[in-house]
Amino acid sequence: MAISAGGDNDKPMSDINTTPLVDVMLVLLIIFLIAVPVAIQAIKVKLPNVKYDPTTTKPENVSLSVTTDKEGRCAIYWNMTRVTHAELLDRAVKKLKAEIDRAGGAKNLPVGYELPEAHIRGDVATPYQCIGGAIYTMQMAGFAKVGFISEPPPGESTTRL
């Protein structure tokens, strides 16, 4: 360190001792080099490749359309009939019960028997709470498979089954 002890020079000292500044900067650099890799943690996740799978529509499947009406309220349609959440739950329970009874009852279901699925067509501008409510209602009714119907990306070829 340089200290001016006075002398025959009456001019103020204009030299700055940069050694402490460099020491502090090097210490900070080392701290950041050690801390940054610890702070940046990423969980490696393999995301699925999304491809368009054609949906096989069976007559026993339930087709729902979810959109909003002019007032901004959720509008759920069972095929072409508008239903409330309570009516949706009631219809879904009756549909599932009728399908199970037709197959021989809950205790006599054949191995590999596929219960009906719920297919939801959700409008792009519909809030998620409307679509989520329909999903939740169908799951409460007992539908194990609830899926979405969507359009394939433009230009993608599809094969008809």
Side-chain angles (χ1 to χ4, degrees):
M1 277 204 219
I3 299 176
S4 176
D8 59 352
N9 216 354
D10 289 337
K11 291 191 305 184
M13 184 176 148
S14 63
D15 295 333
I16 297 174
N17 190 358
T18 58
T19 305
L21 178 64
V22 171
D23 290 344
V24 168
M25 296 306 283
L26 286 174
V27 168
L28 287 175
L29 178 66
I30 292 170
I31 289 173
F32 284 127
L33 286 175
I34 293 171
V36 167
V38 174
I40 300 174
Q41 294 180 354
I43 297 173
K44 294 188 181 194
V45 178
K46 182 173 172 30
L47 297 175
N49 293 330
V50 178
K51 293 183 181 176
Y52 174 70
D53 292 329
T55 304
T56 56
T57 304
K58 297 182 275 185
E60 62 268 10
N61 290 343
V62 175
S63 178
L64 299 176
S65 298
V66 182
T67 187
T68 52
D69 59 10
K70 292 178 183 176
E71 290 83 29
R73 295 176 300 197
C74 300
I76 302 172
Y77 294 88
W78 180 291
N79 293 329
M80 297 299 288
T81 308
R82 186 171 178 173
V83 294
T84 65
H85 279 285
E87 292 171 338
L88 177 63
L89 180 62
D90 187 45
R91 279 187 176 203
V93 168
K94 286 179 183 175
K95 171 79 172 177
L96 200 56
K97 185 174 180 338
E99 188 64 32
I100 290 172
D101 290 344
R102 189 173 65 87
K107 294 184 180 182
N108 300 325
L109 281 177
V111 176
Y113 183 78
E114 291 188 21
L115 291 173
E117 303 172 5
H119 296 169
I120 298 176
R121 288 178 170 83
D123 188 18
V124 173
T126 304
Y128 183 75
Q129 68 184 20
C130 297
I131 297 170
I135 295 169
Y136 180 72
T137 303
M138 295 308 285
Q139 288 176 338
M140 278 182 46
F143 279 79
K145 292 184 179 180
V146 180
F148 294 105
I149 303 296
S150 63
E151 291 182 18
E156 189 172 305
S157 64
T158 58
T159 56
R160 301 275 179 191
L161 296 177

